[in-house]
Amino acid sequence: MVDEETDKALKRNTPCVNGRYSPDASNAEQVRKQFVILEEYAKLKGLTFVEVDTSNRLSMEFVDAFHAFHRYCYMCGLIKPDRCHHCMSCGACVVKYDHHCPWINKCVSYANYKFFVLYLFYSCVLIAWCVLTSAECIVRYFVRQRWLDGLPHFILVSAAVILCMVFSYYPLGQLLIYHFKLASLNETTCEQAKPPNIRGDPKADYNMGTYRNLRAAFGWGLWLFPVETHVNDGMHFPIRYTIAATGVKYNAVSVKTSV
């Protein structure tokens, strides 16, 4: 957490829109001042306020045009790592923030993303099992061909199966498919809504290939089991940059630095 003087200096140089500080609304001069304030604070404390990767993408030449390095939370007074966002519902900054889920009453993030996806998967499996076992009654009804015998039971079970499929399996199944696609691309729901501007490169992303992306999301193994299998710390991520001249993507592994 930064000191009070640094916090006030940052707020003086950041536009306030609708009662909230908005660094995205800053002009080039304000962005430069914000950068300098954080840089001076980092030097004073012996810290690196944003990680510098192997391509040395962090440099002042990018600051005039981009706000990508402005990783300060005006509500928490914290310098944030990449992919960390402030959750208004929880009132705190969350590492690798995906979204705030009202059904589990907490944020889906680095700490519990695997468990959230498994929750969706297990729910879909349970619903599928209920539908299949209930279908036995429907099949038996047609096999016996006693149309009036057991008709109320048949209608009740059929309605339950249809309702289960429409109101349970469909939304949960679609959500599971959506998050599996996100994991395979190494993206979050938040990043889908607003693509990140990584190190001043709007075309850069965290996509390291399907297997490595899934491994980053679900860990080193035991993907179908609710056990912690993290392979990173949730604050440092490999980045895939774009060569401006050719448009070709290449990987650059971030250097871990303390914040």
Side-chain angles (χ1 to χ4, degrees), residues 21-207:
Y21 290 99
S22 178
D24 289 339
S26 304
N27 56 38
E29 182 60 28
Q30 289 172 324
V31 173
R32 181 176 291 276
K33 288 180 179 179
Q34 294 160 9
F35 186 93
V36 170
I37 291 169
L38 286 175
E39 188 178 42
E40 289 178 350
Y41 174 80
K43 288 180 179 179
L44 180 65
K45 299 295 183 180
L47 303 173
T48 302
F49 72 87
V50 65
E51 62 183 8
V52 181
D53 54 58
T54 52
S55 296
N56 195 28
R57 282 291 176 120
L58 180 60
S59 61
M60 289 298 292
E61 63 184 281
F62 294 110
V63 176
D64 287 334
F66 301 101
H67 305 153
F69 315 122
H70 194 272
R71 302 294 300 155
Y72 178 73
C73 178
Y74 290 87
M75 286 168 279
C76 295
L78 297 173
I79 298 170
K80 302 183 294 184
D82 286 339
R83 311 182 86 174
C84 176
H85 296 276
H86 185 89
C87 176
M88 298 301 295
S89 299
C90 295
C93 287
V94 182
V95 293
K96 199 183 178 184
Y97 175 80
D98 189 273
H99 70 285
H100 184 89
C101 179
W103 306 111
I104 62 174
N105 194 31
K106 63 171 58 178
C107 289
V108 177
S109 63
Y110 162 79
N112 62 354
Y113 185 76
K114 174 185 177 180
F115 304 108
F116 174 75
V117 175
L118 285 178
Y119 160 70
L120 296 177
F121 175 72
Y122 294 156
S123 298
C124 289
V125 171
L126 176 61
I127 293 169
W129 181 82
C130 292
V131 169
L132 290 175
T133 53
S134 299
E136 179 190 0
C137 175
I138 300 174
V139 173
R140 189 186 305 116
Y141 177 79
F142 282 101
V143 170
R144 293 173 61 186
Q145 295 186 357
R146 297 178 182 176
W147 308 119
L148 296 179
D149 184 20
L151 181 61
H153 189 210
F154 167 75
I155 294 175
L156 181 63
V157 172
S158 299
V161 169
I162 293 172
L163 289 173
C164 188
M165 293 177 64
V166 172
F167 294 105
S168 297
Y169 186 76
Y170 178 76
L172 282 175
Q174 289 297 308
L175 190 59
L176 176 63
I177 293 171
Y178 172 71
H179 276 283
F180 184 79
K181 289 181 178 178
L182 285 182
S184 66
L185 295 172
N186 202 353
E187 290 185 350
T188 63
T189 303
C190 184
E191 291 166 355
Q192 276 268 309
K194 183 181 179 181
N197 193 339
I198 306 169
R199 302 291 187 275
D201 185 350
K203 294 183 179 180
D205 56 39
Y206 299 105
N207 190 346

